[in-house]
Amino acid sequence: MELQRYESRVSKPSTEKKRVYLLVKRVLDIIVSFLLLILFTPLILIVARIIYKQEGGPVLAKSWRIGVHERPFILYEFRTFSIPSRVISAFPRPATVSRAHYRQQQMIRERQQQVLTPIGKKLRKYKLHKLPQLWNVFRGDMSFVGPIPVDRETVVTYNQYEYRRMAMKPGITGFTRVYTPGLRKDLKIEQDLYYMKYRTLKMDMIILFRAIRRNFKNKTSK
């Protein structure tokens, strides 16, 4: 219902307006991410020191994601989960199991045994684990507003319609996460394509405002 009310108030931008929008959005991404990186440098260093002191290295969690037009990039976040591989890798490999199969099973066990660390819970509560993504925005891998970053395994499952989503840069927050969270994968993609069709700077500002307000409400209500 909320989405329908919003759609009734917007119109599809022209091609020329879309070019101007993308240019201005990129300039704003560079300027704002640069200023925020400077502003939050002390906080980033403090968080990094706490993580290293409590959990050891690595401080950052790095994962490959697929950006606009299938350009791969490394997504940076503060590490919020434990590293079970340090324990699992200590177990000897059974003689009857191939190295490749053993490594595959080991990776599965690692995913199953990852535990959110105490500092990780606090970082995720206040969304501070996303602070390193400001570097992704500054580099041009991401934008402040866009679809959720996805990995290669997800992209290869897209059909021709769903693949249109890859024409947008992923974002730290986005239309789907603000207006329609908790949807199925196919409906999320549909909403991402809706955003791609109607996106404007005004729309991005509203999404950012709503994301900040929702995050603030969630914290004050706990």
Side-chain angles (χ1 to χ4, degrees):
M1 183 66 67
E2 184 178 17
L3 177 60
Q4 293 175 348
R5 290 200 302 269
Y6 188 89
E7 186 172 3
S8 64
R9 300 197 301 268
V10 298
S11 58
K12 183 179 178 182
S14 64
T15 303
E16 184 62 31
K17 286 184 178 180
K18 186 72 71 176
R19 291 196 190 100
V20 174
Y21 158 77
L22 292 174
L23 176 61
V24 175
K25 182 176 183 177
R26 178 59 190 142
V27 172
L28 289 175
D29 279 345
I30 293 173
I31 295 174
V32 176
S33 62
F34 178 74
L35 293 176
L36 290 179
L37 281 169
I38 294 176
L39 177 66
F40 289 125
T41 292
L43 179 59
I44 291 173
L45 293 177
I46 291 172
V47 172
R49 179 175 175 80
I50 293 174
I51 294 175
Y52 187 80
K53 187 175 181 181
Q54 293 186 5
E55 303 295 334
V59 169
L60 295 178
K62 305 175 185 179
S63 55
W64 282 101
R65 292 293 184 266
I66 305 301
V68 61
H69 303 310
E70 283 202 74
R71 184 168 68 89
F73 68 95
I74 297 177
L75 178 72
Y76 296 98
E77 291 183 341
F78 280 124
R79 181 170 64 85
T80 56
F81 287 90
S82 61
I83 306 180
S85 58
R86 291 176 177 171
V87 177
I88 294 174
S89 60
F91 291 99
R93 176 171 62 89
T96 56
V97 179
S98 68
R99 182 176 297 275
H101 179 73
Y102 175 72
R103 180 54 188 160
Q104 182 181 19
Q105 295 301 313
Q106 187 183 41
M107 291 174 65
I108 293 174
R109 290 196 298 269
E110 288 179 14
R111 295 193 190 100
Q112 292 173 340
Q113 297 184 34
Q114 280 188 333
V115 178
L116 193 63
T117 62
I119 182 62
K121 292 179 182 178
K122 294 180 180 179
L123 292 177
R124 286 187 172 270
K125 177 181 178 181
Y126 297 103
K127 307 300 183 184
L128 295 178
H129 67 293
K130 292 187 175 184
L131 277 176
Q133 291 181 18
L134 290 172
W135 178 245
N136 287 118
V137 175
F138 181 74
R139 280 171 44 89
D141 302 323
M142 297 174 60
S143 180
F144 281 104
V145 179
I148 297 174
V150 294
D151 54 24
R152 173 69 67 181
E153 289 74 15
T154 301
V155 175
V156 297
T157 66
Y158 287 165
N159 57 36
Q160 187 174 3
Y161 173 77
E162 295 170 334
Y163 186 78
R164 293 165 56 196
R165 179 185 188 272
M166 302 309 297
M168 294 182 286
K169 284 185 181 180
I172 294 179
T173 188
F175 181 88
T176 304
R177 283 165 279 181
V178 169
Y179 282 97
T180 53
L183 289 178
R184 304 193 314 264
K185 171 196 166 185
D186 57 332
L187 295 180
K188 285 183 179 179
I189 293 176
E190 184 177 336
Q191 298 308 304
D192 286 338
L193 294 177
Y194 169 88
Y195 166 74
M196 184 175 71
K197 182 178 180 181
Y198 292 104
R199 54 186 170 164
T200 62
L201 289 176
K202 181 180 177 180
M203 189 178 188
D204 287 345
M205 293 300 104
I206 294 173
I207 291 172
L208 284 172
F209 174 76
R210 283 177 171 264
I212 294 171
R213 185 178 65 176
R214 173 174 294 182
N215 188 54
F216 180 76
K217 282 185 176 181
N218 289 342
K219 303 312 167 288
T220 55
S221 62
K222 293 180 181 179

